[in-house]
Amino acid sequence: MAHLSQSPSRPTIAAEPEPGSLLSTTLAQLESTFDRLELAEGMRLLIQQPERELSDIAVYKGYRVQHSSARGPCKGGIRYHPGVDFGEVRALATLMSIKCAVVDLPFGGAKGGISVNPADLTPRELERLTRRFAAMILPILGGKRDIPAPDVNTNEQVMAWFMDTISAREGQYTPEITTGKPIALGGSLGRAEATGRGVVIAAVETLHKLGMTPQGAAVAVQGYGNVGRHAANILREEYGCKIVAVSDVSDALYNPHGLDLALVNDHVARNTSGLLAGFGPDGPADHITNAELLALGVDVLIPAAIEGQITGENADSVKARVIVEGANGPTTLEADAILNERGVVVVPDILANAGGVIVSYLEWVQNLQFYFWDIGEVRSQLSRRMRASFEELWTLSGELDLDLRSASYLLAVDRIAKAIQQRGLFLASGG
């Protein structure tokens, strides 16, 4: 059973978000930004509330939320996780709108997911679930309406199933309906590394602004998945950083002299679980906890796991000079205030991990024109956009004496509000 809710007036969310949740934190940050911009109440509601929400309740609960299409088609990932619910999806859709506006992409934000543990499913069951979900949310999807991408526990194969299902329903090949696809089906070179490479650019630019050199800088990475792994390896190989610690859900490794990432990568590739668990004889490393990793005295800390990792309880123990958020919402509102007070530079997720959506945009453009670029062109475009956005935010934060997160929200909300104002309000019913 699918349920679609949509209203031009976009009434307020009926249920209050759970205190401390990602949605609560996002809405609080928005309220602060609204006050700085002195937005009228009507505009606040238009930006605060999603435009459209769809839920599909069969064996599993599935959701798709479109936050804003004021600046262009909605864009956002699909995640498969037992913790997926409407509150989380609403928050992530809102953050996607902010993120796209921060890096000035012609997209609005969306997010979707299914409350399921994909590890409990066979490949055939996963494919059937994906195709069913794609068919149910098809009415609100489209290459110029809403374009899904991979997220937590989804990958290029899931996007291939999505694209194929929609193409079959539409009766024509529509590669632009998803991004993060296999290269053979219209995916872009550089998409797999994009989010991690964007994190690297944000980290390196921050170090330069602080008068520090990346060469030899000590870095700890929480979350050695796609984002964290690429970020760690690019920092090590291309900038000479010293990766002293990495972690995932199974283990955390530490070597103050720098981990041998070649050995770590080889272990993860050979491990049937794809995790760090069992690393030991392969190379010298101490086994620490995730809590200990977050408290290491490093130059750069990259939380690239899940949301809510740096909180009011542990923010005082963080010793890193710079935090670059690879994950969505890894720092709570309370922790953010503590870190700002202590002078820790936090590069927020809505800028730091925007590399993924930037290259998704590049993939979408390539699909629309059926003309594909080499890896050098993709990396060049990503680097140019990330560095320009970073410079703009660094300058704005200095001019207004704001932290980077507050400056990011201010810039993004202003862009979204101006787009809404300039487009005006049109009621399809003619009212």
Side-chain angles (χ1 to χ4, degrees), residues 51-99:
E51 289 179 357
R52 189 177 292 106
E53 298 176 340
L54 186 147
S55 63
D56 175 28
I57 304 173
V59 178
Y60 300 102
K61 292 183 179 180
Y63 311 93
R64 187 66 176 175
V65 172
Q66 296 171 346
H67 173 259
S68 173
S69 60
R71 288 172 46 83
C74 295
K75 189 79 186 74
I78 300 284
R79 59 175 50 190
Y80 292 170
H81 191 276
V84 169
D85 59 27
F86 247 141
E88 178 186 61
V89 176
R90 282 169 175 155
L92 292 169
T94 303
L95 288 172
M96 278 300 298
S97 288
I98 301 297
K99 183 182 300 183

Side-chain angles (χ1 to χ4, degrees), residues 87-157:
E88 178 186 61
V89 176
R90 282 169 175 155
L92 292 169
T94 303
L95 288 172
M96 278 300 298
S97 288
I98 301 297
K99 183 182 300 183
C100 291
V102 164
V103 294
D104 206 17
L105 296 179
F107 285 145
K111 209 72 174 185
I114 302 176
S115 181
V116 62
N117 183 358
D120 295 337
L121 305 178
T122 66
R124 178 57 181 156
E125 289 170 335
L126 186 63
E127 179 181 355
R128 290 176 60 191
L129 179 68
T130 298
R131 291 185 182 277
R132 162 67 189 235
F133 185 50
M136 293 307 297
I137 67 174
L138 176 58
I140 65 172
L141 298 182
K144 295 183 179 178
R145 184 184 302 126
D146 184 354
I147 307 113
D151 202 278
V152 176
N153 291 330
T154 58
N155 54 24
E156 63 176 26
Q157 178 59 73

Side-chain angles (χ1 to χ4, degrees), residues 100-380:
C100 291
V102 164
V103 294
D104 206 17
L105 296 179
F107 285 145
K111 209 72 174 185
I114 302 176
S115 181
V116 62
N117 183 358
D120 295 337
L121 305 178
T122 66
R124 178 57 181 156
E125 289 170 335
L126 186 63
E127 179 181 355
R128 290 176 60 191
L129 179 68
T130 298
R131 291 185 182 277
R132 162 67 189 235
F133 185 50
M136 293 307 297
I137 67 174
L138 176 58
I140 65 172
L141 298 182
K144 295 183 179 178
R145 184 184 302 126
D146 184 354
I147 307 113
D151 202 278
V152 176
N153 291 330
T154 58
N155 54 24
E156 63 176 26
Q157 178 59 73
V158 171
M159 290 303 104
W161 290 329
F162 248 89
M163 186 273 290
D164 181 67
T165 302
I166 294 168
S167 293
R169 292 293 185 105
E170 296 291 321
Q172 59 182 340
Y173 181 49
T174 56
E176 73 278 6
I177 193 65
T178 64
T179 60
K181 301 179 297 297
I183 300 298
L185 296 178
S188 176
L189 295 172
R191 177 60 182 85
E193 68 171 30
T195 306
R197 184 169 287 277
V199 168
V200 168
I201 294 169
V204 169
E205 290 300 301
T206 305
L207 290 173
H208 286 157
K209 291 294 185 183
L210 297 176
M212 303 167 66
T213 177
Q215 182 74 34
V219 179
V221 179
Q222 184 204 33
Y224 205 64
N226 182 64
V227 177
R229 184 173 67 255
H230 278 108
N233 283 274
I234 294 169
L235 282 168
R236 175 69 187 90
E237 294 168 9
E238 298 183 19
Y239 293 94
C241 293
K242 182 170 60 174
I243 311 302
V244 300
V246 298
S247 72
D248 61 18
V249 296
S250 69
D251 202 357
L253 309 176
Y254 172 64
N255 185 330
H257 304 294
L259 293 165
D260 187 332
L261 291 187
L263 292 178
V264 174
N265 295 335
D266 183 62
H267 171 81
V268 169
R270 289 186 289 105
N271 195 338
T272 55
S273 66
L275 298 173
L276 297 171
F279 185 88
D282 309 88
D286 294 327
H287 296 265
I288 60 175
T289 66
N290 262 290
E292 290 171 328
L293 181 147
L294 293 174
L296 290 173
V298 293
D299 298 305
V300 179
L301 170 63
I302 300 176
I306 58 175
E307 59 262 21
Q309 295 300 293
I310 303 176
T311 68
E313 285 70 43
N314 65 6
D316 275 325
S317 67
V318 173
K319 301 182 184 66
R321 177 81 182 275
V322 175
I323 296 174
V324 183
E325 296 182 336
N328 288 316
T331 308
T332 68
L333 200 63
E334 185 180 5
D336 219 28
I338 294 171
L339 293 170
N340 287 332
E341 181 67 25
R342 294 180 51 218
V344 178
V345 177
V346 180
V347 185
D349 49 2
I350 50 180
L351 172 62
N353 67 24
V357 72
I358 289 174
V359 176
S360 277
Y361 164 70
L362 300 179
E363 178 179 333
W364 178 69
V365 169
Q366 293 172 82
N367 288 160
L368 288 174
Q369 61 188 5
F370 279 86
Y371 180 80
F372 295 89
W373 307 331
D374 61 28
I375 186 65
E377 178 65 21
V378 172
R379 287 175 175 171
S380 175

Side-chain angles (χ1 to χ4, degrees), residues 425-431:
L425 183 62
F426 172 73
L427 302 180
S429 61

